[in-house]
Amino acid sequence: MLDFLGSLQRTHMCGELRVEQDGQPVVLMGWVNRRRDHGNLIFLDVRDRSGITQVVLDKEVSGEAHAKAEAARSEYVVAVKGKVRRRGAGLENPNMPTGAIEVVASELLLLNEAKTPPFSPADDAIANEEVRLKYRYLDLRRTEMQHNFALRSRVAMAIRNYLVEQGFLEIETPFMTRSTPEGARDYLVPSRVHAGSFYALPQSPQIFKQILMISGFDKYFQIARCFRDEDLRADRQPEFTQIDLEMSFPQQEKVFRVVEGFLTAAFKTASISLTTPFVQMTYDDAIKNYGIDKPDMRLPAMVSLTDELTAELRETLKIEKELPVLGFVIPRAGALSGTQKRALVEEIRATFGDSGLDFLDVARLKTNESFAPLASTIEAKLSEEQTRFEGASSQVDAADLVIVVTPKIGTPAKWNFDPQWIYKRVGALRLQLAAKFADKHGRFVKTGTEADYKFLWVTDFPMYEWDEETKVWNAAHHPFTSPHEEDIKAGRLTNDKGAVRALAYDIVLNGTELGSGSIRIHRQDVQAEIFRSLGMSDAEAKERFGFFLDALEYGTPPHGGIALGLDRIVMILAGATSLREVIAFPKTAKAIDLMVDAPTPVSDQQMRELHLKTVVRS
């Protein structure tokens, strides 16, 4: 027979007890984490979200409680009355915060039983993720997951408190709105009342937060749910949470200071102190130095060796004369055998495929009298970057892996119409090798200090990007992003779109984009010109954004903002490898919720009410 809770109330959480409570009567409640039967003594590790306490059921102290403990199994829900007792010398468990004490039970209530679970929440890791997601309520009982969500709660609260202190108002925007182009497919909601019409779930609160600035609220924020119907991966989910904010009359530096402030408050909850302001870098410099618009600053940058490879040397080494030559170093990853080096060179060449890029073996250059000076020059140039990165004099040596990439004769200056393709290919190789040799260079190992977190602002993104398939220029960010004033005045919106810079910026952490933002267009004439520059007629713009264009005509202040992924921030702080570790009820890579078995078909009656029917494609 199971027991009723009645009027019994717990006095402490399981993880709170210490030797200071020795001799005190306590009432604990929680789940049986583990059970160990030693005859007259039965030990139950009782767990709640705060931790675990060892409970001793001694037959001589309470035969009734001991008898109930014989029936208890893992994940049974129990209540324990007893006294705290310091453990005997040599019996402490240093791996548990409560390891110096135990509770000697005088009474045990079995509040509920449990089937044998498919896995034990007491286990540190469960290999099968699908089983974890199907039985998510069991997975969430694990200590690691409980810590993740306690961290998430603290981070969200710290951010909210900081923004409120800075004068921001928390305002909710609609979940059901109209479909607007924002870069991903919308989730659509059919209207029962308006046959054939649909709402869309918001990919972001973008237009609404701009309208809130038009409405005079000055500073808005929201920890907002957003929805995107796109292919999933470890750091992407169909529904996610972002820290969304907008300000009136800002420069982008003001937005940066606000973000740095709330990130400092958020990281403080994990005992990490951040130094501000963060480093800034233009998009062009990020591509030139790292080959990517979200650089991982935990490793040295790429180095241009273009000028060191003279025309004469290029002719001898069969290197294209006009294209860039790039090198980089992976620290302490160079201690490879001859076989390993040959395999690595083949791997690098396979990565480049038939693009025309090749690996230049600096070690072999050293063995040739004619090229030894070039090898020394290359190593000296790479050593300069090592010194900058280390903050002290540092020389490239045999312990470091030196990579130099050259374009073979005939290599195209553009690949898929991208003039920066060589920088991006070499940047991708840099990240690939950094991951491959992570155990050697050790730059990704957590130290629990600020050094683990390399923040960066990337600014001056291109306003437009060329779509070769449709032969049109598209907005690289979104069509409400303001171009640089100089580019508007110079007429580049119509005669040189590829050179137009946006007042757009990203906040990057350890190679992960945490968020994007921009200074917005606040003038109706400029917004109309941007729409026209994107090939959108006035009539089409009116149809898609009429309400917003109308609002711009009623005294819109200059404004700007940003949105950061809360899930990604918590994922990085928790040291998790997937967003699914910090989202309570996530979807699989196929956008399925295994616990509730969604999505599922609905009844014919529901379909009729929504004026819908399904059609099987042939």
Side-chain angles (χ1 to χ4, degrees):
M1 291 290 293
L2 295 175
D3 298 303
F4 290 100
L5 181 62
S7 60
L8 189 65
Q9 297 184 27
R10 64 183 170 189
T11 60
H12 296 78
M13 299 290 282
C14 293
E16 293 176 349
L17 298 178
R18 300 293 187 270
V19 291
E20 289 76 16
Q21 280 85 38
D22 184 22
Q24 287 187 15
V26 295
V27 177
L28 302 180
M29 298 178 188
W31 287 264
V32 175
N33 197 59
R34 284 195 174 94
R35 173 184 177 277
R36 302 182 302 282
D37 191 336
H38 294 271
N40 286 343
L41 291 179
I42 295 177
F43 296 91
L44 300 182
D45 289 344
V46 180
R47 179 194 73 240
D48 61 22
R49 81 177 195 197
S50 68
I52 296 172
T53 289
Q54 176 174 285
V55 176
V56 182
L57 287 303
D58 189 335
K59 195 171 186 177
E60 294 184 1
V61 173
S62 174
E64 182 181 355
H66 183 274
K68 287 186 177 181
E70 289 181 324
R73 295 293 182 268
S74 292
E75 301 311 306
Y76 273 41
V77 184
V78 299
V80 177
K81 291 181 69 174
K83 280 190 177 181
V84 179
R85 180 175 71 187
R86 182 192 289 264
R87 295 196 196 185
L91 298 177
E92 301 93 342
N93 184 347
N95 299 318
M96 288 174 58
T98 60
I101 59 90
E102 58 192 9
V103 171
V104 180
S106 58
E107 185 178 346
L108 177 68
L109 301 183
L110 299 182
L111 300 175
N112 213 341
E113 58 191 1
K115 293 170 60 177
T116 301
F119 58 85
S120 172
D123 294 340
D124 292 331
I126 295 93
N128 191 322
E129 187 177 41
E130 287 195 359
V131 174
R132 288 180 57 201
L133 293 178
K134 182 173 178 60
Y135 298 94
R136 188 64 164 178
Y137 39 84
L138 297 178
D139 186 46
L140 290 174
R141 292 180 189 174
R142 294 194 300 120
T143 300
E144 177 186 355
M145 300 299 285
Q146 297 264 318
H147 286 173
N148 287 354
F149 286 93
L151 173 64
R152 181 182 176 117
S153 179
R154 294 196 304 272
V155 166
M157 186 57 67
I159 291 170
R160 178 175 274 113
N161 288 343
Y162 177 85
L163 290 173
V164 169
E165 289 170 2
Q166 297 299 310
F168 284 79
L169 299 180
E170 185 172 13
I171 304 174
E172 292 184 338
T173 53
F175 273 4
M176 294 172 63
T177 180
R178 66 174 292 144
S179 180
T180 57
E182 292 192 46
R185 287 181 294 272
D186 286 324
Y187 279 104
L188 299 178
V189 180
S191 170
R192 177 184 59 81
V193 178
H194 304 284
S197 293
F198 294 80
Y199 299 101
L201 301 181
Q203 295 184 34
S204 76
Q206 183 61 47
I207 291 179
F208 287 104
K209 66 182 180 181
Q210 290 190 246
I211 288 178
L212 288 172
M213 296 303 98
I214 298 171
S215 303
F217 283 106
D218 194 65
K219 295 178 182 178
Y220 138 93
F221 87 96
Q222 182 181 190
I223 297 182
R225 296 290 282 174
C226 303
F227 308 85
R228 295 182 184 177
D229 185 6
E230 56 189 352
D231 296 333
L232 306 186
R233 57 189 185 215
D235 64 347
R236 183 180 287 170
Q237 281 278 301
E239 51 181 319
F240 57 95
T241 305
Q242 67 184 31
I243 306 146
D244 199 66
L245 64 86
E246 197 80 5
M247 307 166 62
S248 293
F249 308 108
Q251 289 77 35
Q252 66 179 19
E253 289 292 332
K254 178 61 177 175
V255 178
F256 293 175
R257 299 294 86 79
V258 169
V259 172
E260 290 167 359
F262 76 63
L263 285 175
T264 298
F267 275 66
K268 189 176 180 180
T269 68
S271 302
I272 302 295
S273 297
L274 299 182
T275 300
T276 59
F278 299 156
V279 175
Q280 293 185 31
M281 183 182 301
T282 66
Y283 170 87
D284 287 341
D285 283 343
I287 298 297
K288 183 179 72 175
N289 295 320
Y290 296 92
I292 193 170
D293 61 4
K294 46 184 180 182
D296 191 332
M297 310 284 283
R298 292 175 294 177
L299 288 166
M302 302 188 304
V303 172
S304 173
L305 302 168
T306 303
D307 294 338
E308 281 67 30
L309 273 292
T310 63
E312 294 78 14
L313 285 168
R314 288 179 181 238
E315 185 173 352
T316 304
L317 294 169
K318 296 183 171 54
I319 296 172
E320 180 64 39
K321 292 183 179 180
E322 302 297 329
L323 298 183
V325 174
L326 301 171
F328 61 87
V329 173
I330 304 293
R332 297 193 295 277
L336 303 174
S337 67
T339 301
Q340 288 174 318
K341 287 180 180 177
R342 286 189 294 272
L344 180 62
V345 171
E346 290 305 312
E347 180 183 328
I348 292 171
R349 287 174 173 159
T351 298
F352 290 141
D354 60 355
S355 66
L357 299 183
D358 200 8
F359 173 80
L360 182 64
D361 192 337
V362 177
R364 287 189 63 184
L365 292 180
K366 287 182 179 180
T367 65
N368 187 309
E369 186 177 343
S370 301
F371 297 119
L374 173 61
S376 297
T377 300
I378 289 173
E379 288 192 342
K381 193 76 181 287
L382 293 173
S383 293
E384 290 178 15
E385 168 57 21
Q386 280 280 79
T387 297
R388 183 204 66 79
F389 178 78
E390 298 288 355
S393 181
S394 179
Q395 298 295 313
V396 171
D397 56 34
D400 300 319
L401 177 59
V402 173
I403 302 293
V404 176
V405 178
T406 60
K408 292 186 284 191
I409 292 175
T411 300
K414 293 184 179 181
W415 190 282
N416 290 335
F417 299 86
D418 183 358
Q420 298 173 317
W421 74 274
I422 291 178
Y423 294 96
K424 293 175 183 177
R425 286 284 182 96
V426 179
L429 176 65
R430 170 181 171 272
L431 294 178
Q432 176 185 327
L433 295 181
K436 182 182 182 71
F437 295 108
D439 59 333
K440 291 193 173 185
H441 62 70
R443 303 291 176 169
F444 302 157
V445 175
K446 289 291 186 73
T447 63
T449 67
E450 183 183 8
D452 297 341
Y453 304 99
K454 299 295 184 182
F455 284 94
L456 173 72
W457 286 107
V458 180
T459 64
D460 296 342
F461 278 79
M463 181 75 182
Y464 301 98
E465 56 187 10
W466 177 250
D467 187 325
E468 177 56 27
E469 185 176 335
T470 58
K471 307 294 185 185
V472 297
W473 289 97
N474 293 320
H477 195 63
H478 56 62
F480 314 113
T481 300
S482 177
H484 273 262
E485 184 178 326
E486 312 90 86
D487 294 335
I488 298 175
K489 291 178 177 177
R492 297 189 183 102
L493 293 181
T494 54
N495 60 35
D496 192 7
K497 289 186 176 66
V500 180
R501 297 159 301 150
L503 286 170
Y505 35 82
D506 281 2
I507 178 73
V508 176
L509 172 57
N510 294 353
T512 295
E513 176 199 320
L514 288 187
S516 294
S518 67
I519 302 300
R520 323 301 186 186
I521 298 167
H522 68 281
R523 287 170 39 181
Q524 196 275 341
D525 59 333
V526 175
Q527 185 67 76
E529 187 174 350
I530 294 296
F531 283 148
R532 284 193 292 270
S533 74
L534 292 168
M536 195 182 302
S537 68
D538 290 348
E540 185 181 0
K542 188 73 174 174
E543 179 185 353
R544 288 169 125 181
F545 305 106
F547 71 99
F548 182 64
L549 295 177
D550 288 344
L552 287 177
E553 296 180 336
Y554 289 91
T556 300
H559 58 285
I562 195 169
L564 282 72
L566 176 64
D567 311 303
R568 289 186 181 183
I569 293 171
V570 179
M571 180 183 78
I572 292 172
L573 266 179
T577 57
S578 168
L579 290 181
R580 289 187 284 272
E581 301 302 302
V582 296
I583 294 176
F585 303 103
K587 308 292 189 293
T588 68
K590 294 182 178 179
I592 295 172
D593 186 328
L594 292 175
M595 187 182 74
V596 302
D597 191 23
T600 56
V602 297
S603 70
D604 291 341
Q605 174 66 24
Q606 288 175 288
M607 294 289 283
R608 284 193 297 271
E609 288 176 347
L610 294 171
H611 317 286
L612 296 175
K613 66 178 179 179
T614 56
V615 177
V616 179
R617 290 181 178 176
S618 58

